[in-house]
């Protein structure tokens, strides 16, 4: 009994995401270099860095949208491998929101949100629609349920994309610069939804250039450059007392 309790305690202490010595190349270009990171359940991680630093590639490796050449990734105890079953199991646990909304233009907002739960999770349509409407209420656009994506603003479409990812009830949400394609006046409405998610206790990994947002919501800020993690710490540490000269140089140009 004692050994079983110890084993359970060991499992409980495992990080939700564990990345070890990740290596990624595009041809001869070394995109990710020995990247290691643990993410605990409920943590909000904000990843910052210059364009081309590898930060978007990194979060895309967590649900196998990008393949790594070396290293190890585990998500909720599932080892990332070439096994399709493992990849599908990991993707069931990870929702992702991209720069572009990627909504199906010929489907209504509700149809966009219910498609995956019905086909992948095998939910009855009634359950999927009920949850879709609840999520649209949560992101503040319940009244847009019957419209088509082309009838919505960019900010509204991105909120639909967030609702669509949440509809699969993932344990982890990955955001790849979700506001970069939006007009400035639409950015706040998307960030507000993300702030609500951060406060809800969901595990989030967010690539963004929105530094004030990072200060407000992050448990940890990670600075990427040249395919490496240069610095990691609390928002206060990274923004106010950066240790790396490269971090200082980057922040001096954007803050």
């Amino acid at each position: 009994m004692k050994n079983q309790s110890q084993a359970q305690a060991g499992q409980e202490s495992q990080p939700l995401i564990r990345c070890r010595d990740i290596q990624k190349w595009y041809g001869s270009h070394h995109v990710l270099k020995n990247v290691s990171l643990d993410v605990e359940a409920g943590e909000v991680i904000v990843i910052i860095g210059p364009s081309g630093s590898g930060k978007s590639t990194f979060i895309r490796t967590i649900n196998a949208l990008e393949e790594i050449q070396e290293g190890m990734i585990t998500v909720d105890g599932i080892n990332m491998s070439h096994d399709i079953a493992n990849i599908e199991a990991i993707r069931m646990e990870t929702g992702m929101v991209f720069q572009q909304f990627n909504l199906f233009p010929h489907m209504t907002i509700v149809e966009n949100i219910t498609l995956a739960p019905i086909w992948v999770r095998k939910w009855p349509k009634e359950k999927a629609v009920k949850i879709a409407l609840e999520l649209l209420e949560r992101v503040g656009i319940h009244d847009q349920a019957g419209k088509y994506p082309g009838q919505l603003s960019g900010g509204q479409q991105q909120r639909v994309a967030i609702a669509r990812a949440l509809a699969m009830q993932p344990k982890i949400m990955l955001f790849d610069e979700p506001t970069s394609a939006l007009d400035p006046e639409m950015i706040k409405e998307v960030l507000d939804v993300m702030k609500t998610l951060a406060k809800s206790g969901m595990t989030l990994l967010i690539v963004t250039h929105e530094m004030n947002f990072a200060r407000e919501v992050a448990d940890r800020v990670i600075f990427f450059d040249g395919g490496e993690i240069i610095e990691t710490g609390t928002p206060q540490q990274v923004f106010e007392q950066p240790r790396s000269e490269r971090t200082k140089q980057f922040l001096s140009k954007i803050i």
Side-chain angles (χ1 to χ4, degrees), residues 214-216 218-221 231 233-243 251:
R215 283 180 186 269
E216 187 174 343
D219 295 308
R220 278 190 288 160
V221 173
E231 186 157 353
T234 66
Q236 183 178 11
Q237 290 168 343
V238 173
F239 289 120
E240 298 178 16
Q241 297 176 316
R243 295 179 293 273
L251 292 175

Side-chain angles (χ1 to χ4, degrees), residues 8-28:
Q8 289 174 342
Q11 289 176 350
E12 288 169 2
S13 65
Q14 291 292 312
L16 186 58
I17 302 170
R18 171 165 282 176
C19 304
R20 286 290 177 274
D21 302 319
I22 295 175
Q23 306 276 5
K24 167 75 178 173
W25 285 267
Y26 291 133
S28 61

Side-chain angles (χ1 to χ4, degrees), residues 135-176:
L135 288 168
L136 286 173
E137 183 76 43
R138 186 173 177 183
V139 300
I141 48 173
H142 185 272
D143 57 338
Q144 308 296 322
K147 292 185 179 179
Y148 290 88
Q151 297 175 285
L152 273 58
S153 70
Q156 289 173 325
Q157 289 187 60
Q158 191 62 294
R159 284 187 277 168
V160 173
I162 293 172
R164 178 181 59 184
L166 290 172
M168 288 292 287
Q169 299 185 338
K171 292 183 178 179
I172 301 157
M173 284 285 284
L174 309 173
F175 291 88
D176 184 9

Side-chain angles (χ1 to χ4, degrees), residues 42-57:
E43 259 198 301
V44 178
I45 306 291
V46 174
I47 303 172
I48 64 172
S51 297
S53 61
K55 54 192 189 296
S56 291
T57 300

Side-chain angles (χ1 to χ4, degrees), residues 15 43 46 66 86 89 97 157 162 180-181 192-193 203-204 251:
E43 259 198 301
V46 174
E66 294 283 357
N86 278 19
V97 179
Q157 289 187 60
I162 293 172
S180 64
D192 284 346
V193 171
T203 307
L204 307 178
L251 292 175

Side-chain angles (χ1 to χ4, degrees), residues 32-49:
L32 298 175
K33 306 171 184 175
N34 295 307
V35 175
S36 295
L37 179 69
D38 286 349
V39 180
E40 301 296 333
E43 259 198 301
V44 178
I45 306 291
V46 174
I47 303 172
I48 64 172

Side-chain angles (χ1 to χ4, degrees), residues 16-204:
L16 186 58
I17 302 170
R18 171 165 282 176
C19 304
R20 286 290 177 274
D21 302 319
I22 295 175
Q23 306 276 5
K24 167 75 178 173
W25 285 267
Y26 291 133
S28 61
H29 180 40
H30 202 173
V31 187
L32 298 175
K33 306 171 184 175
N34 295 307
V35 175
S36 295
L37 179 69
D38 286 349
V39 180
E40 301 296 333
E43 259 198 301
V44 178
I45 306 291
V46 174
I47 303 172
I48 64 172
S51 297
S53 61
K55 54 192 189 296
S56 291
T57 300
F58 169 63
I59 68 162
R60 290 168 66 91
T61 67
I62 293 172
N63 62 354
L65 289 177
E66 294 283 357
E67 185 179 348
I68 61 173
Q69 277 78 51
E70 295 179 20
M72 179 195 75
I73 299 173
T74 60
V75 178
D76 198 22
I78 305 167
N79 187 40
M80 183 78 71
S81 66
H82 295 292
D83 188 326
I84 295 298
N86 278 19
I87 291 172
E88 288 181 350
I90 287 172
R91 287 180 177 166
M92 291 278 277
E93 304 293 349
T94 55
M96 187 151 188
V97 179
F98 303 89
Q99 296 177 32
Q100 302 297 330
F101 323 123
N102 300 324
L103 302 175
F104 293 109
H106 64 289
M107 301 176 74
T108 66
I109 299 311
V110 163
E111 289 169 343
N112 267 277
I113 296 172
T114 58
L115 183 65
I118 290 171
W119 283 95
V120 179
R121 291 215 181 267
K122 309 301 182 185
W123 288 355
K125 182 178 179 180
E126 294 76 14
K127 176 181 178 179
V129 169
K130 179 177 181 291
I131 289 175
L133 293 175
E134 289 171 356
L135 288 168
L136 286 173
E137 183 76 43
R138 186 173 177 183
V139 300
I141 48 173
H142 185 272
D143 57 338
Q144 308 296 322
K147 292 185 179 179
Y148 290 88
Q151 297 175 285
L152 273 58
S153 70
Q156 289 173 325
Q157 289 187 60
Q158 191 62 294
R159 284 187 277 168
V160 173
I162 293 172
R164 178 181 59 184
L166 290 172
M168 288 292 287
Q169 299 185 338
K171 292 183 178 179
I172 301 157
M173 284 285 284
L174 309 173
F175 291 88
D176 184 9
E177 299 191 33
T179 60
S180 64
L182 299 178
D183 292 334
E185 66 269 20
M186 298 177 185
I187 290 174
K188 182 180 182 300
E189 62 191 54
V190 173
L191 293 180
D192 284 346
V193 171
M194 293 167 65
K195 288 175 186 177
T196 302
L197 291 179
K199 292 174 183 175
S200 75
M202 178 171 270
T203 307
L204 307 178

